[in-house]
Amino acid sequence: MRKTIVAGNWKMNASKESVNSLIKGILSGMSDVSSDVIVCAPFPYLSQVESLIINSDLMLGAQNLNVNLKGAFTGEVSADMIKDFGAQHVIVGHSERRSLYGETSTVVAEKTKAAIDAGLTPLLCVGESLEERESGRTEAVVAEQLNAVISLLGIDAFDGIIIAYEPVWAIGTGLTASPEQAQSVHLFIRKLLADSSERVAQKTPILYGGSMNAGNAADLISCADIDGGLIGGAALKADDFLQICKAG
Ligand code: 13P
């Protein structure tokens, strides 16, 4: 049985004050939560979150990493640095990084490798744009994004990977995929993994992301192949985020 995982992606939204109250708010409601809960903070706030979550069940993640271990890469952050601040997870392949920063599926696969090599668990994001969905290419796009990782790392690497299906048209738009639309892609992803390993397919968590909120989380998470959520906007309010965490 796969455990429900709820991860918050704060994106570029934080201040010392907001982080303090958000984390304290989440911690105050964690005793009723049975899901695994992760918050993915912007780099400058990893240390602050690390201090606030000591001795709690809340887990920490980053939102990006560089593929290199160290060296002359001005402005970049390595997997080891992320680990140094107590994070266990890192988002790779978010659609905002694919579209705004030109990250190809090959680069995303290399980042996935860098994360795993350092002992971090990647939250590997995949998903189609509206144009790709409307032209019937959803499955082809998601397959290409996943196959890039499978061909670089092999199927067994998915033992240490969390997948997040995030249709680009649902991110930050309020247009959530219906449970049927999401479940259908999640099942496709699981079958794609099963083509290489039934064991890995059954074990790998596949989260849904894209305008998930307190009102729609339970219906989505109750689908057979939806194992939790990757939450943007609703992860910035402790009460909303906790309600999603309790929906699992
Ligand atoms: P929203 O929940 O704001 O749509 O964002 C989803 C997302 O991109 C999480 O990574």
Side-chain angles (χ1 to χ4, degrees), residues 69-212:
L69 292 179
K70 60 192 257 184
F73 303 98
T74 301
E76 292 296 299
V77 172
S78 73
D80 280 348
M81 293 174 186
I82 292 167
K83 269 195 81 175
D84 210 13
F85 286 98
Q88 294 150 275
H89 299 82
V90 61
I91 296 171
V92 293
H94 192 280
S95 71
E96 287 148 20
R97 297 218 55 92
R98 290 182 194 260
S99 66
L100 300 172
Y101 303 100
E103 290 190 9
T104 61
S105 292
T106 307
V107 168
V108 173
E110 284 165 358
K111 288 192 172 193
T112 305
K113 182 175 187 312
I116 291 174
D117 287 350
L120 292 168
T121 300
L123 284 149
L124 168 63
C125 301
V126 297
E128 82 289 359
S129 66
L130 184 59
E131 190 208 338
E132 288 161 343
R133 172 163 283 262
E134 287 179 342
S135 60
R137 285 187 290 142
T138 297
E139 294 186 352
V141 168
V142 168
E144 183 274 330
Q145 292 169 337
L146 286 171
N147 283 331
V149 178
I150 296 172
S151 46
L152 183 70
L153 293 174
I155 192 69
D156 289 338
F158 281 78
D159 276 331
I161 293 177
I162 298 169
I163 296 173
Y165 168 58
E166 297 207 310
V168 179
W169 48 272
I171 294 176
T173 58
L175 285 176
T176 319
S178 68
E180 296 73 25
Q181 283 174 319
Q183 165 60 23
S184 148
V185 181
H186 282 235
L187 181 61
F188 170 76
I189 292 170
R190 210 173 293 289
K191 283 183 176 160
L192 186 143
L193 298 177
D195 286 344
S196 301
S197 165
E198 182 63 34
R199 182 191 64 79
V200 169
Q202 290 312 320
K203 204 175 146 212
T204 302
I206 309 175
L207 316 185
Y208 168 81
S211 299
M212 193 187 263

Side-chain angles (χ1 to χ4, degrees), residues 6 17 35 69 130:
V6 178
E17 203 181 324
S35 311
L69 292 179
L130 184 59

Side-chain angles (χ1 to χ4, degrees), residues 214-242:
N216 59 32
D219 283 346
L220 286 156
I221 296 175
S222 65
C223 293
D225 291 290
I226 302 183
D227 305 314
L230 180 55
I231 322 299
L236 297 171
K237 292 190 191 134
D239 288 349
D240 290 4
F241 188 60
L242 279 168

